[in-house]
Amino acid sequence: MRALTALAATTALLGACATPMEPAPGGPPMADNGNDCAVIAAIAKEHYRFNTTDNRPLPIRFEGDYAPRCDWSRYDLAFQPYDPNAPGDPRERVRWVSFARPAYDGRGAVVATSIMHGPLAGMGYECRVISGFAGWTVGACKNSWIS
């Protein structure tokens, strides 16, 4: 009986530690808190399977006024910025991967992301990313749109 009481107390304490993080006053939840680059890199590598050798990433773009400054080489990625006015084949300007600002909570972060391979060939996702001892890992991504 004592073991059960101790287990219940421990569970209650651990649950209190897992409460969602509060947003900064006047701003979005934990915006650009130093983890954004690692969270985006986890999605790029685990979900999209981008790397620097056989699956190079598409040009990267961000949603709205969000534009984190990241050293992508630190994550073994080689993103180029998306340029909608780039010269050349117009079909190439429709190729990109995008990320919205991560929203952090007590379980990690959720990020809206999308990829366009060409005209009418894209998909959007909402990815749950989890923080652990080994860094950030993708828990799951679910489709949000398909073109």
Side-chain angles (χ1 to χ4, degrees):
M1 185 65 156
R2 280 188 185 169
L4 188 56
T5 304
L7 179 61
T10 302
T11 302
L13 285 173
L14 289 175
C17 293
T19 57
M21 293 181 223
E22 293 299 318
M30 300 298 291
D32 205 10
N33 67 359
N35 291 318
D36 290 6
C37 297
V39 166
I40 292 167
I43 296 168
K45 293 179 82 167
E46 295 176 35
H47 177 69
Y48 292 120
R49 304 276 189 234
F50 291 146
N51 58 50
T52 56
T53 54
D54 60 341
N55 190 23
R56 297 187 61 82
L58 298 176
I60 192 170
R61 63 184 254 187
F62 296 99
E63 300 299 323
D65 63 351
Y66 177 63
R69 286 178 263 162
C70 303
D71 177 8
W72 296 118
S73 63
R74 176 178 177 195
Y75 304 101
D76 196 30
L77 292 165
F79 281 114
Q80 297 298 317
Y82 171 71
D83 180 2
N85 301 314
D89 187 345
R91 291 174 294 186
E92 288 298 311
R93 289 192 296 265
V94 188
R95 295 173 40 86
W96 46 259
V97 62
S98 73
F99 297 92
R101 182 186 311 271
Y104 296 90
D105 60 24
R107 296 183 298 148
V110 175
V111 180
T113 180
S114 56
I115 189 166
M116 287 296 292
H117 297 285
L120 302 177
M123 295 181 80
Y125 303 93
E126 184 176 271
C127 293
R128 163 64 66 184
V129 186
I130 302 161
S131 177
F133 291 111
W136 292 92
T137 57
V138 176
C141 292
K142 60 181 179 181
N143 284 17
S144 57
W145 61 268
I146 298 174
S147 72

